[in-house]
Amino acid sequence: MLTAMDLPGGLLVYAKDEAEERIYEVRNADKTVEVASLNLRGTPEDILGEVRRIAQRVKAHSYPAIYGRAA
């Protein structure tokens, strides 16, 4: 997807404790893949807060695909 849409980066979301949050540099592609963890423990409000936090990260990665890199 990153290459097909010529995006500078992407986001993978895992349940908390399934993967370490970090950013990977994709060799020879000038792209990054960010790994985010979603904490599914807590109250429904806590989980919704986690989903909102991840949604902001998705939005940041989607913006270049929708509006172009110059934005």
Side-chain angles (χ1 to χ4, degrees):
M1 184 65 114
L2 293 177
T3 303
M5 295 190 73
D6 194 27
L7 295 173
L11 181 68
L12 297 173
V13 180
Y14 291 94
K16 186 171 173 89
D17 300 327
E18 294 291 319
E20 177 184 339
E21 287 204 355
R22 61 180 291 187
I23 297 175
Y24 293 91
E25 299 288 330
V26 180
R27 232 179 309 165
N28 302 320
D30 193 31
K31 301 188 183 305
T32 60
V33 176
E34 181 180 353
V35 175
S37 64
L38 178 62
N39 186 352
L40 299 172
R41 295 183 183 179
T43 67
E45 291 79 19
D46 294 337
I47 295 169
L48 282 175
E50 284 287 300
V51 170
R52 285 186 194 98
R53 180 181 65 84
I54 297 293
Q56 288 301 313
R57 292 164 89 170
V58 169
K59 185 177 176 183
H61 283 281
S62 300
Y63 196 90
I66 297 169
Y67 300 105
R69 288 180 184 257

